[in-house]
Amino acid sequence: MENLEAIKEAVNKGKRKEIAGLVQTALDNGTEPKVIINNYMIEAMKEVGARFEAKKIFVPEMMMAALTMQTGLDVIKPLLEKSGKNVEKLGIVVMGTVFGDLHDIGKNLAILMLESAGFEVHNIGENVPAATFVEKATELNADIVGLSSLLTTGDPHVKETVAAIKNSPLGDKVKVMCGGAAVTEKFAVGECGADGHAVDAIAGVKLAQKFVGVG
Amino acid sequence: MTQQKHIPLGVGFYPDWWHKNYGFSYGKEYYYDADYRVDLQAKLPKALYERFGDVGLGDPNPAPKPLITFGMVMLPAIFGCEIIFKDDALPWAMPLNLSKEDCDKLVKPDLPNVSPMKEMLGQIDHLQAKYGKVVGDINTTGVQNLALKLRGDQLYIDYFEDPEFCHRLLKFCTECIIDLWRLIYPITGTGAVDVTPMCDPTIFCVANCTTEQISSDTYEEYGLPYDIMLSNACNPFGIHHCGNIDAVAEQYAKVPNLVFIEAGFGSDFAAARKIYGPDVAFNARISPVQMKNDNSDGIEATVKEIIDQGAPLSNFSIDTVGLTHGVPDENVRIARQTAMTYGKINK
């Protein structure tokens, strides 16, 4: 148990160099991989998210925690694959920054957090036209599309992209969530018709979980 | 009758506002063709006067403004970042995402002889010959801003895993910034025009746009030493911090020669004013998102709230930079009018 708490602590504090050894020891001691993931790693990430929301930690600490978790998962994944059980994916997310906007850090942080929460995330980059969002979401059979927009100049493109997705054959089969400093709930949901708005990466994870029915 | 002074409230429109409302283009030509830029600069005050002359913006008969500027991308461009120019946006430098080994191989550029600085010096010669002077300067960008352009987001992981590398890279970036300032300042006599219009233009103002993303501890270790290094070399010193300043407000107070601070919306302006004292000029920013989406009652309330937080009002200002297409004109007017009426300075 002490070792398992150390895994949680390692994710919490972003001790990437320690996590692989700790996870391996836990596995050697007979701990079920899913127990390590669900009870310790994901729990740690929830605590990290809460500290980020409370402005106790910032972007580098969040990135470090998410990468630490991914390093731990890299130890577990081959075992799960070998036993025919893959790491459970909560859903497929396509994420990009809307056309006209080249900012990437907020989007990349959201991607790390979504991956850590168990989503398969496809980063389609920055300055992404509406048609590309539709194309990629269709090609990848996405459950969720995430739009990031840091500048208010992106507002027309957020609107255009949401409309393009909703008016495509994807329709309401895919949920659309919007985030970034320029986007408000009123604008994203009220004016553009998105399914949800997230004020930050943590809120984005909670929203995505809600969309796939695990929130 | 003596007129009572009021706090200044600056208004800055983003290129898309100009492009969509007036067809003015801020593409590559704006930064590489000095004559095109001077012509465009002459149109802006006239357009503003026609639209907002009633609240004191613009000028019906502006004198030629032989401006130099290169957005915030001069040093990233010099190091080889791809620069994206658009008619309706500020130029943007794509990160190089260099390996640590490649970062360590970087050498300080021979600024006068490297593109696009070489071309900028050519523009300066042209403008001086034509107008007898230049105005404006070159935004050097901030230390962490530049390091992120070179190393990419990975820098934030390096903060935890390779502090020595980070210090080498940040020191290198600081030295490049100082070199750029030392080259430009003797020519222009200013070091803040290309960063913010809200301070004494003759100071050196550093753009700490990404500092909002880090904690006070991280800033203390990886930001403060280099801002101190900058302020010792380039002073008097100012800091542009476009995000919420609360986490690093106390650390900024440790920077010597500090005469100006600019803080983004959401900051506790009253607490920050208390930390720096009334002698450090302070500019508080209003969110461009609010300026676009709120109504005039909301804008008036926000300006009043900021003024209440800013007291004492001498050495205090507000601005609404980054206003994009779709911002209601009425919101600009009410912001200006509220500063004039509610922001009176009692002497």
Side-chain angles (χ1 to χ4, degrees):
Chain A
M1 189 58 74
E2 193 179 310
N3 179 256
L4 291 168
E5 285 300 327
I7 290 173
K8 194 172 171 185
E9 173 78 0
V11 173
N12 234 320
K13 302 286 182 197
K15 297 175 180 172
R16 186 160 68 147
K17 288 175 182 167
E18 294 176 19
I19 190 80
L22 291 167
V23 169
Q24 190 59 57
T25 304
L27 291 169
D28 292 345
N29 289 341
T31 311
E32 281 292 318
K34 282 194 174 177
V35 169
I36 298 173
I37 297 170
N38 296 331
N39 296 6
Y40 295 93
M41 288 179 165
I42 289 178
E43 282 305 306
M45 286 308 292
K46 284 181 186 169
E47 291 177 14
V48 167
R51 296 211 319 278
F52 181 77
E53 283 180 320
K55 292 189 163 50
K56 303 283 183 199
I57 61 169
F58 290 74
V59 173
E61 290 82 1
M62 285 266 284
M63 288 176 68
M64 209 54 222
L67 286 176
T68 301
M69 175 159 172
Q70 288 181 1
T71 304
L73 284 175
D74 287 344
V75 178
I76 295 172
K77 273 179 188 169
L79 287 177
L80 289 173
E81 281 162 13
K82 203 173 167 184
S83 64
K85 305 173 196 167
N86 285 319
V87 177
E88 200 176 327
K89 279 176 193 156
L90 294 183
I92 297 172
V93 184
V94 165
M95 285 279 289
T97 306
V98 296
F99 188 71
D101 192 338
L102 292 156
H103 290 86
D104 63 349
I105 288 181
K107 166 183 62 71
N108 293 345
L109 183 62
I111 288 170
L112 274 174
M113 297 309 291
L114 284 163
E115 286 176 341
S116 300
F119 287 91
E120 176 184 320
V121 189
H122 297 266
N123 182 358
I124 60 171
E126 302 80 45
N127 196 26
V128 181
T132 307
F133 275 100
V134 175
E135 186 188 315
K136 289 291 175 186
T138 307
E139 177 191 323
L140 296 161
N141 198 21
D143 301 292
I144 299 166
V145 175
L147 315 183
S148 174
S149 177
L150 194 88
L151 305 169
T152 48
T153 51
D155 287 358
H157 304 297
V158 173
K159 204 168 190 171
E160 182 193 358
T161 306
V162 175
I165 294 166
K166 292 298 181 187
N167 293 330
S168 76
L170 291 166
D172 285 330
K173 282 186 285 185
V174 65
K175 297 288 186 188
V176 180
M177 61 180 186
C178 303
V183 186
T184 61
E185 173 98 24
K186 186 181 162 195
F187 174 71
V189 179
E191 290 183 38
C192 301
D195 298 290
H197 163 258
V199 291
D200 56 33
I202 298 306
V205 171
K206 288 177 184 168
L207 188 60
Q209 287 171 330
K210 190 177 147 197
F211 285 156
V212 297
V214 296
Chain B
M1 197 174 86
T2 54
Q3 270 200 324
Q4 211 176 4
K5 278 189 166 181
H6 60 81
I7 62 157
L9 187 143
V11 177
F13 294 100
Y14 194 74
D16 90 310
W17 189 90
W18 291 108
H19 189 65
K20 292 197 172 84
N21 283 315
Y22 297 96
F24 300 161
S25 292
Y26 287 81
K28 193 171 181 179
E29 193 178 17
Y30 180 78
Y31 297 94
Y32 279 90
D33 183 337
D35 291 326
Y36 173 86
R37 190 168 58 246
V38 174
D39 285 347
L40 180 54
Q41 281 293 323
K43 295 173 186 168
L44 310 184
K46 284 182 189 170
L48 277 183
Y49 184 79
E50 284 167 13
R51 193 163 183 150
F52 294 115
D54 59 321
V55 288
L57 290 180
D59 182 345
N61 298 300
K65 190 177 178 186
L67 180 76
I68 61 164
T69 177
F70 207 73
M72 200 168 58
V73 299
M74 177 58 79
L75 281 171
I78 285 169
F79 284 109
C81 290
E82 181 192 0
I83 307 300
I84 310 291
F85 292 98
K86 290 192 168 191
D87 286 342
D88 61 354
L90 292 173
W92 180 261
M94 301 302 289
L96 285 174
N97 299 317
L98 295 176
S99 68
K100 283 197 269 190
E101 292 71 25
D102 285 340
C103 284
D104 278 335
K105 285 179 197 161
L106 291 169
V107 292
K108 286 205 288 172
D110 175 20
L111 289 171
N113 295 306
V114 65
S115 185
M117 194 64 219
K118 189 176 173 182
E119 290 85 342
M120 180 54 65
L121 292 173
Q123 288 188 38
I124 289 170
D125 288 344
H126 171 72
L127 292 171
Q128 282 178 330
K130 195 168 176 179
Y131 299 98
K133 64 172 184 179
V134 293
V135 297
D137 38 59
I138 301 296
N139 185 336
T140 62
T141 195
V143 177
Q144 182 177 270
N145 289 359
L146 180 56
L148 283 165
K149 291 298 181 192
L150 299 174
R151 176 68 170 140
D153 301 359
Q154 184 63 37
L155 178 73
Y156 287 154
I157 304 303
D158 299 331
Y159 280 166
F160 292 90
E161 298 190 337
D162 198 344
E164 286 182 12
F165 162 76
C166 293
H167 284 295
R168 283 198 303 277
L169 178 61
L170 293 164
K171 182 169 179 281
F172 172 79
C173 292
T174 308
E175 288 171 350
C176 292
I177 289 169
I178 292 169
D179 285 353
L180 179 56
W181 183 80
R182 283 182 174 151
L183 176 65
I184 286 295
Y185 186 75
I187 299 169
T188 65
T190 67
V193 176
D194 215 22
V195 180
T196 174
M198 302 310 293
C199 68
D200 173 356
T202 64
I203 71 169
F204 172 80
C205 190
V206 70
N208 278 358
C209 308
T210 57
T211 304
E212 186 195 23
Q213 295 169 0
I214 62 174
S215 68
S216 55
D217 287 347
T218 306
Y219 177 74
E220 185 96 26
E221 180 167 359
Y222 294 112
L224 184 59
Y226 304 101
D227 279 343
I228 290 174
M229 198 171 149
L230 279 181
S231 79
N232 284 328
C234 322
N235 57 71
F237 192 72
I239 296 173
H240 154 91
H241 181 103
C242 39
N244 185 315
I245 203 173
D246 297 354
V248 293
E250 288 183 8
Q251 279 71 26
Y252 278 156
K254 297 176 187 174
V255 178
N257 308 309
L258 188 70
V259 296
F260 171 78
I261 283 269
E262 178 163 81
F265 51 91
S267 303
D268 184 340
F269 298 125
R273 281 287 269 168
K274 203 171 171 186
I275 289 169
Y276 307 117
D279 292 336
V280 173
F282 193 97
N283 183 54
R285 289 190 144 188
I286 302 177
S287 161
V289 178
Q290 188 189 0
M291 285 295 287
K292 187 172 181 182
N293 297 326
D294 208 346
N295 58 32
S296 56
D297 288 346
I299 300 300
E300 182 181 357
T302 294
V303 174
K304 285 182 174 175
E305 190 186 329
I306 293 173
I307 290 170
D308 288 342
Q309 286 189 40
L313 296 184
S314 58
N315 256 344
F316 183 70
S317 61
I318 299 176
D319 82 345
T320 63
V321 77
L323 301 185
T324 55
H325 180 68
V327 168
D329 286 3
E330 194 47 36
N331 285 358
V332 174
R333 286 201 174 80
I334 197 72
R336 295 272 299 176
Q337 286 162 350
T338 306
M340 289 176 202
T341 53
Y342 193 78
K344 294 253 168 71
I345 301 169
N346 296 313
K347 294 212 167 181

